[in-house]
Amino acid sequence: MASINGAAARLPFAAVLPLMMAISLSGCGRHSHPRSTARPAATPVPAETPAAMRKCLADLSALGAKVQVLPDRIFPNGCSATSAVKLVAIGIPVTNLGAVKCGLALPLTQWVTQAVQSAAHDRLKGYVVRIESFGSFACRPINNVAGNRLSEHGRANAVDIAAFVLADGRRISVTSDWNGADPDRRAFLRQVRDAACRRFATVLSPDFNAYHHDHLHFDMGNGHLCR
């Protein structure tokens, strides 16, 4: 994925609550001092076992998704793409996706098939034909700064959503429309964000901080945050 995360100065530990540290470090790697809407307890990430993978693949198949199982990859610097798949077809094409953990592919497919078209119908009276992403797997630390902890992108456990293209040619982008002049576009983006919050462990939008001005970040790390 093309780098969209500018390096940011690390914050003093005392300036951030321990829970926020744990959550922020699981995100895109661009954190500041936003107010948060934290869920009360973190649910441990399910173990990656053959049985868990079989169940995940069966659940994806039940949703009508077509996927390609990828071989596990583990890199010396700590990056990895294990229990990962390539999403071949999940109802709406999503651009730029590479390897994603099956545990991320499942809620992503649910969000695409159950939430995106519903929001487009409700808010835009339209039909989404393409979702544009900034990618999924990217082997890098948080902020792209050496010494920082590994981003969830470095575990194939995150995806960044940038825009939605409708059948009539309209393009709804986070950059232009999150705080844009059109109330229907704003409402659409917030509806798909809120729907993602019910499916992913961490969801970060432009409401979280300026680093997310151009995308919605979803991951299945240990943190729980919807902002």
Side-chain angles (χ1 to χ4, degrees), residues 40-58:
T43 302
V45 176
E48 293 182 13
T49 65
M53 185 67 171
R54 287 194 297 272
K55 182 179 187 309
C56 182
L57 292 172

Side-chain angles (χ1 to χ4, degrees), residues 160-184:
D160 292 338
I161 301 297
F164 305 81
V165 178
L166 275 62
D168 60 10
R170 282 178 291 171
R171 182 176 181 273
I172 316 302
S173 75
V174 177
T175 301
S176 299
D177 297 307
W178 186 265
N179 293 313
D182 189 322
D184 292 327

Side-chain angles (χ1 to χ4, degrees), residues 70-96:
L70 300 175
D72 286 352
R73 292 181 292 165
I74 300 175
F75 302 94
N77 61 359
C79 291
S80 63
T82 57
S83 297
V85 299
K86 180 178 178 60
L87 293 172
V88 177
I90 57 172
I92 305 172
V94 182
T95 66
N96 299 321

Side-chain angles (χ1 to χ4, degrees), residues 17-122:
L17 292 172
L19 177 61
M20 284 301 300
M21 278 293 292
I23 292 168
S24 295
L25 290 171
S26 73
C28 283
R30 303 177 298 185
H31 51 281
S32 64
H33 295 274
R35 291 181 301 161
S36 66
T37 304
R39 296 173 185 174
T43 302
V45 176
E48 293 182 13
T49 65
M53 185 67 171
R54 287 194 297 272
K55 182 179 187 309
C56 182
L57 292 172
D59 290 343
L60 283 167
S61 179
L63 290 171
K66 295 181 180 179
V67 305
Q68 174 188 350
V69 178
L70 300 175
D72 286 352
R73 292 181 292 165
I74 300 175
F75 302 94
N77 61 359
C79 291
S80 63
T82 57
S83 297
V85 299
K86 180 178 178 60
L87 293 172
V88 177
I90 57 172
I92 305 172
V94 182
T95 66
N96 299 321
L97 287 184
V100 294
K101 282 187 183 296
C102 195
L104 174 69
L106 182 58
L108 180 61
T109 301
Q110 292 169 334
W111 178 74
V112 168
T113 59
Q114 299 168 4
V116 171
Q117 294 295 16
S118 177
H121 177 269
D122 293 345

Side-chain angles (χ1 to χ4, degrees), residues 20 32-38 204 207-209 225-227:
M20 284 301 300
S32 64
H33 295 274
R35 291 181 301 161
S36 66
T37 304
L204 306 178
D207 285 348
F208 181 65
N209 61 22
L225 180 63
C226 170
R227 178 62 192 249

Side-chain angles (χ1 to χ4, degrees), residues 132-157:
E132 297 175 4
S133 91
F134 285 144
S136 50
F137 177 70
C139 186
R140 59 171 176 79
I142 290 172
N143 294 338
N144 286 316
V145 175
N148 278 2
R149 289 177 60 182
L150 188 67
S151 166
E152 288 299 323
H153 287 284
R155 299 183 178 94
N157 203 29

